[in-house]
Amino acid sequence: MSTVNTFKEIMESDKEFPTELQSITFQILSSNDTAHMEAIFYNLFSPEPKPKPHSEALAFLQCSKKHHPDLLFIKLFFLLRCGATPLTRANSARALHLLSQPDIWPKLKPIAQASLKAHFTAYLKEETSLHVLRLVAPVLAETLSIIYKDHQQQWPELLDLLVSFTASNDDKSRETALLVFANLRKDCRLRVSDALRGAVPVLRTSFMESLGSSNADIQVAAFGTVVSLVRLFSDPCVFHELLRAMMVAAFALLHGSDGSYFRRAFAEMVRLVMEEPAPLKPYASDMVLDVLQIVESDAGLSIETQQAAFELVMAMTEVEDYATVLKSHNHQTLVRVFMIPMKMLMFVEDEDDKKEKDGCGVYKVGLKWLNRLCVTVGGDIVVNIGCHILNIFLDSPYWKKRHAGIALLTVLSKDFSDEMVMRENFLMEVVAKFFKSFQDCHDRVRLAAFSFMQMPTNFVQAMHVLYHHRLMHAFAAALDTTHNYKVKEQTASAMLFFLKTTLPDSLTLYKNADVITNKFLSILKGKEGAKLRSIALVTLNIIAQQCHELAHKYCASYLPILLEECQDNNSEIKEEATRGIRICAELGTPHLKPLVNRILSYLSSVLIKEPNHSISENAKVYDIAVSVLGRICEFHRDTIDGSKIVPAWLSCLPLKNDLIEAKLMHEQLCLMVKRLDKDLSGAGNQNLLKVLVVFLEVIDNGDKLGSPQTITQMNNLLRQLGRNIPRTAINTVLFSLNDRQRELLLPFLAS
């Protein structure tokens, strides 16, 4: 945000000011002495202001604006016209710009308004400093806008002067007039244009001359003026003449300056595209070709200048009227259009973790523009263009081009997966080239490739289904050949995503699936980074659940490693390692028996350490540990003392933090109650109350803590218990419950 805009926000403050300050401001504003105001200007606009004087100067202006706005406006204008030095006059203009004129001008008396109009007109003829006039132009434009916004007011004297200035041979006068017109507020341009209808021939000639001027400042100001007063030129021939003059001027600025003038001029062209699409639409197609000619030129343009030019095409993507124009171009032209952001995607750093540089900003803009172009062009057209460009970029000997190709593939697959899959030979052509990226010689390309494979799109899903054998082989090979930790992490993550989203039997179809298991086990043994180990554990757990053959090998070769990983400080690693033990337990593997005591010891430490488990960072670990205990009770009862362990497990229910484990355990509890598990009920049904409490809490949470089937089973079991429990026992149970639990239980007892 600019300093002026920041000041403007502060000036809008509605705070109260002391009476003493109000009095001081009145005295200074009423005085003929200019020294006080010059000191205030110095403290306010100094390049290195001191905090206290700066805040006092700002408070003076705020107080003046609130309590003496008319005096402040007149005082500043007096200094603008009569200030002894250009600096004083420039600072007066800056201060005027900070005021909100729509609030002040209407409050001035008609005689004051008439006087100021006359002084303004005279001042423009007298001011010798172009620098000051450039600061005054926006202030004068706002005043003119306010006057013409009210149908009852006009300022023909100023308009006549400005028209004569535009036709003047004096560059200072011409630029001033153009800047005033260029800065007119949007909501009053039509009314000002109506007032200028009689001057169209003069303005047309002077604007054409200004656009062709040898003075770059005048040329740029003329661009803004044409945009502001474009409705003056409703005659298509005149508009066409001005538009072509603007493009010729743009090319002249492009080759005759450092690029800053061109960028400012073309920013006005972009404004024209956004604000006045109707008259421009017939010329939009030619303008796209002009932009391409600029951006593709061999003139050694800076990337900033190229971006400024292409911004015009991107502006067209935001205006509905231009969408059909863009799509109407032939294939070759559209490829040229898409190549511009593609080249910007080559501004990528050699290493992923380098601090952001200018090039990174270019890359982000290129990616944003590519997205917008794809959405605007859309459908089969964009897929055809994408296929053409991908064939060039993915096969390039330059890694930045290959990286950009994957970025394009990513953008396309977000919105056009179905078109990509349905297009004849697209999958075959692109995938063949894309697979090479997994073994690319550059880490950034491999990172991009494995990141792409984790996108939840139909195109990636189609690759999973059609090429699952090749993908598994590619992932496995990449894990072996990469020595970059980030690449290895992304490779493992891509494989995990594949296993989560593809067909459950993909592993069984893959002949060397046990090789995959061994690779992830070696990652755990190697104690590589926490994130990678966490991914490895999740992957191994999924493999164990999808492929029982491999699961038994997995359990045989950690269980000891799983127990070791359970001691890690990282909560994610602890969660997945504990979940791995639960999976091994429910498989009923005999390899667990020798380790039961170690497992129980670990579980005991978790359950004792986490008395406030619901608010602990290890809350999920607690729930999974309870789930392990439950699975040991269910599948390995012969290795434990069930009369002690089963009630201990029951005492930890219900689970509420890990909803996957919660649903598993609450389903298991139903099954155990249904079969009248003796260890669960305890001697004399002493654990019945706890079972009831768990059932009621699960039911009270809807389907959050239990599947619909589990909730139904619990309801049925509660009805059975309600019919079979003696009345005296019921009274004891009710007495032990809280109000909410009694409210939930009573309907089951009544039935």
Side-chain angles (χ1 to χ4, degrees):
M1 183 180 291
S2 70
T3 304
V4 169
N5 287 336
T6 304
F7 279 165
K8 270 196 163 182
E9 286 188 4
I10 296 172
M11 290 291 289
E12 298 300 321
S13 171
D14 198 32
K15 70 179 183 180
E16 293 299 320
F17 296 95
T19 306
E20 183 182 1
L21 180 58
Q22 295 179 39
S23 176
I24 292 172
T25 57
F26 179 80
Q27 292 173 17
I28 293 175
L29 294 174
S30 304
S31 168
N32 290 328
D33 183 10
T34 62
H36 285 296
M37 290 301 295
E38 287 176 348
I40 288 166
F41 289 158
Y42 176 79
N43 291 326
L44 193 63
F45 299 118
S46 172
E48 298 179 359
K50 295 179 180 178
K52 186 177 179 183
H54 181 268
S55 61
E56 289 174 349
L58 199 56
F60 172 87
L61 276 185
Q62 288 176 312
C63 181
S64 300
K65 180 188 172 186
K66 183 169 183 179
H67 296 285
H68 314 293
D70 49 350
L71 277 178
L72 176 61
F73 190 78
I74 293 168
K75 183 74 171 183
L76 290 174
F77 185 78
F78 171 78
L79 288 169
L80 177 66
R81 187 172 184 193
C82 302
T85 66
L87 180 60
T88 298
R89 300 197 299 276
N91 284 336
S92 299
R94 290 189 181 99
L96 279 167
H97 192 55
L98 296 179
L99 301 181
S100 179
Q101 292 194 54
D103 296 334
I104 296 176
W105 184 267
K107 295 176 183 176
L108 297 175
K109 293 178 181 179
I111 190 170
Q113 291 179 343
S115 176
L116 284 171
K117 284 181 180 180
H119 282 296
F120 249 133
T121 306
Y123 164 76
L124 287 178
K125 299 174 183 176
E126 299 166 357
E127 179 58 71
T128 58
S129 170
L130 179 58
H131 172 66
V132 176
L133 285 169
R134 285 171 176 167
L135 292 171
V136 168
V139 177
L140 187 54
E142 186 171 20
T143 307
L144 186 63
S145 299
I146 294 163
I147 290 171
Y148 272 87
K149 190 175 180 183
D150 184 350
H151 289 286
Q152 296 178 351
Q153 292 196 37
Q154 292 186 347
W155 197 354
E157 300 84 2
L158 179 65
L159 291 184
D160 289 344
L161 180 65
L162 293 175
V163 170
S164 68
F165 274 11
T166 63
S168 170
N169 291 324
D170 177 50
D171 281 359
K172 173 173 63 65
S173 299
R174 178 173 283 193
E175 184 181 341
T176 301
L178 293 171
L179 287 174
V180 173
F181 285 137
N183 281 281
L184 287 172
R185 279 171 34 173
K186 189 176 179 181
D187 58 358
C188 75
R189 289 179 197 160
L190 182 58
R191 288 171 190 154
V192 173
S193 296
D194 288 340
L196 290 169
R197 291 289 174 197
V200 168
V202 175
L203 292 175
R204 172 187 177 182
T205 302
S206 60
F207 289 176
M208 290 292 293
E209 290 176 354
S210 297
L211 287 168
S213 171
S214 59
N215 184 323
D217 288 306
I218 288 179
Q219 283 184 295
V220 172
F223 272 79
T225 302
V226 173
V227 174
S228 283
L229 301 179
V230 68
R231 296 186 185 183
L232 266 178
F233 309 106
S234 54
D235 183 334
C237 294
V238 176
F239 180 77
H240 176 74
E241 182 183 43
L242 280 170
L243 186 62
R244 292 319 300 170
M246 291 173 81
M247 292 307 298
V248 170
F251 276 93
L253 289 170
L254 183 68
H255 299 292
S257 66
D258 62 356
S260 61
Y261 285 106
F262 170 83
R263 293 195 287 273
R264 285 163 51 200
F266 233 70
E268 296 296 340
M269 293 289 290
V270 171
R271 189 158 68 96
L272 184 62
V273 166
M274 297 294 290
E275 295 178 1
E276 301 291 344
L280 265 181
K281 189 175 179 180
Y283 310 101
S285 183
D286 288 339
M287 291 175 74
V288 170
L289 296 176
D290 287 338
V291 168
L292 289 175
Q293 185 180 344
I294 291 170
V295 180
E296 294 172 345
S297 69
D298 296 324
L301 303 180
S302 69
I303 186 63
E304 293 83 7
T305 299
Q306 293 179 48
Q307 283 182 243
F310 199 71
E311 190 69 64
L312 188 139
V313 174
M314 296 317 301
M316 291 182 178
T317 66
E318 296 187 13
V319 182
E320 190 175 345
D321 288 0
Y322 296 123
T324 53
V325 175
L326 274 175
K327 287 193 282 189
S328 68
H329 283 284
N330 61 37
H331 176 78
Q332 288 76 15
T333 301
L334 285 173
V335 168
R336 289 170 63 196
V337 169
F338 273 76
M339 279 295 190
I340 307 305
M342 287 302 297
K343 290 175 182 176
M344 293 169 70
L345 294 185
M346 293 172 65
F347 282 78
V348 60
E349 298 300 332
D350 195 46
E351 294 179 20
D352 191 41
D353 57 352
K354 279 192 175 180
K355 291 182 180 178
E356 185 168 312
K357 296 183 179 180
D358 291 341
C360 186
V362 174
Y363 180 91
K364 288 181 179 178
V365 173
L367 201 59
K368 182 176 78 172
W369 286 357
L370 194 61
N371 270 290
R372 275 166 47 189
L373 280 173
C374 286
V375 171
T376 302
V377 175
D380 293 332
I381 298 175
V382 81
V383 172
N384 287 337
I385 295 166
C387 187
H388 180 99
I389 295 175
L390 285 169
N391 281 323
I392 297 170
F393 275 65
L394 291 179
D395 268 346
S396 172
Y398 303 105
W399 75 265
K400 291 186 177 185
K401 264 196 167 184
R402 299 194 299 275
H403 186 274
I406 297 173
L408 171 60
L409 193 60
T410 302
V411 170
L412 288 172
S413 68
K414 284 179 183 176
D415 293 302
F416 305 103
S417 277
D418 292 342
E419 291 88 343
M420 292 161 72
V421 172
M422 296 302 294
R423 185 186 183 277
E424 187 178 2
N425 296 329
F426 185 91
L427 265 172
M428 189 182 301
E429 290 177 24
V430 172
V431 170
K433 299 178 188 302
F434 177 75
F435 265 99
K436 298 176 185 176
S437 304
F438 294 147
Q439 293 294 332
D440 198 275
C441 61
H442 201 281
D443 291 340
R444 289 300 303 269
V445 178
R446 279 181 289 163
L447 275 171
F450 289 118
S451 178
F452 172 78
M453 290 308 301
Q454 298 169 63
M455 289 186 62
T457 66
N458 288 345
F459 183 77
V460 172
Q461 189 66 38
M463 288 181 66
H464 284 173
V465 172
L466 297 174
Y467 302 100
H468 56 270
H469 284 301
R470 289 181 63 185
L471 282 171
M472 290 292 286
H473 177 75
F475 292 149
L479 282 174
D480 275 342
T481 56
T482 183
H483 300 290
N484 180 294
Y485 176 79
K486 284 193 173 183
V487 176
K488 199 165 193 175
E489 185 183 290
Q490 284 297 317
T491 306
S493 188
M495 181 176 282
L496 173 59
F497 182 79
F498 169 77
L499 293 174
K500 281 182 174 180
T501 58
T502 194
L503 298 172
D505 61 353
S506 289
L507 273 170
T508 56
L509 292 172
Y510 183 57
K511 296 178 181 178
N512 298 314
D514 57 331
V515 175
I516 303 297
T517 306
N518 290 333
K519 289 185 189 299
F520 281 103
L521 288 172
S522 67
I523 288 173
L524 293 181
K525 289 177 183 176
K527 290 291 183 184
E528 299 189 53
K531 180 69 175 176
L532 185 54
R533 281 157 59 208
S534 177
I535 293 170
L537 284 165
V538 176
T539 305
L540 287 168
N541 288 341
I542 290 176
I543 290 174
Q545 289 172 306
Q546 288 190 0
C547 183
H548 286 188
E549 271 185 49
L550 292 174
H552 288 291
K553 293 181 182 179
Y554 169 44
C555 294
S557 38
Y558 349 124
L559 268 171
I561 293 179
L562 288 176
L563 280 167
E564 188 178 341
E565 294 293 317
C566 286
Q567 309 303 319
D568 198 272
N569 292 327
N570 184 286
S571 59
E572 286 186 14
I573 290 176
K574 278 200 282 193
E575 285 173 26
E576 293 307 324
T578 308
R579 203 187 308 276
I581 296 174
R582 188 263 291 165
I583 293 168
C584 290
E586 68 190 10
L587 287 171
T589 176
H591 305 290
L592 185 129
K593 187 173 182 178
L595 298 170
V596 164
N597 288 335
R598 278 185 63 187
I599 294 171
L600 291 178
S601 175
Y602 159 67
L603 297 177
S604 176
S605 70
V606 172
L607 303 181
I608 291 171
K609 277 182 185 176
E610 305 292 342
N612 298 318
H613 56 274
S614 62
I615 57 173
S616 163
E617 66 172 347
N618 291 319
K620 285 193 173 185
V621 175
Y622 179 94
D623 280 14
I624 302 168
V626 173
S627 191
V628 173
L629 195 60
R631 285 324 206 199
I632 290 175
C633 292
E634 184 74 354
F635 298 105
H636 302 273
R637 188 81 63 93
D638 59 331
T639 64
I640 60 171
D641 183 349
S643 64
K644 293 180 181 178
I645 301 298
V646 173
W649 167 72
L650 176 63
S651 69
C652 298
L653 301 179
L655 304 182
K656 296 182 178 179
N657 298 300
D658 189 308
L659 300 184
I660 294 174
E661 304 299 337
K663 290 180 179 180
L664 281 175
M665 289 301 99
H666 300 151
E667 179 186 33
Q668 178 175 317
L669 178 62
C670 279
L671 294 173
M672 293 171 74
V673 170
K674 194 172 181 180
R675 68 171 183 250
L676 303 176
D677 190 292
K678 291 181 180 179
D679 290 330
L680 180 71
S681 56
N685 290 324
Q686 63 184 11
N687 299 327
L688 176 61
L689 177 61
K690 177 61 178 176
V691 171
L692 287 175
V693 168
V694 175
F695 276 18
L696 294 173
E697 284 202 48
V698 173
I699 291 170
D700 197 28
N701 279 276
D703 60 359
K704 181 181 177 184
L705 303 182
S707 66
Q709 294 83 356
T710 298
I711 302 295
T712 300
Q713 283 187 350
M714 287 184 172
N715 283 319
N716 293 335
L717 289 169
L718 284 173
R719 289 191 189 92
Q720 290 178 29
L721 290 170
R723 289 194 295 267
N724 297 327
I725 299 176
R727 189 69 206 176
T728 54
I730 288 176
N731 290 335
T732 303
V733 167
L734 289 173
F735 180 77
S736 304
L737 300 176
N738 62 36
D739 291 343
R740 177 59 180 162
Q741 291 167 345
R742 280 194 291 272
E743 181 186 348
L744 289 168
L745 182 60
L746 283 173
F748 295 104
L749 299 179
S751 62

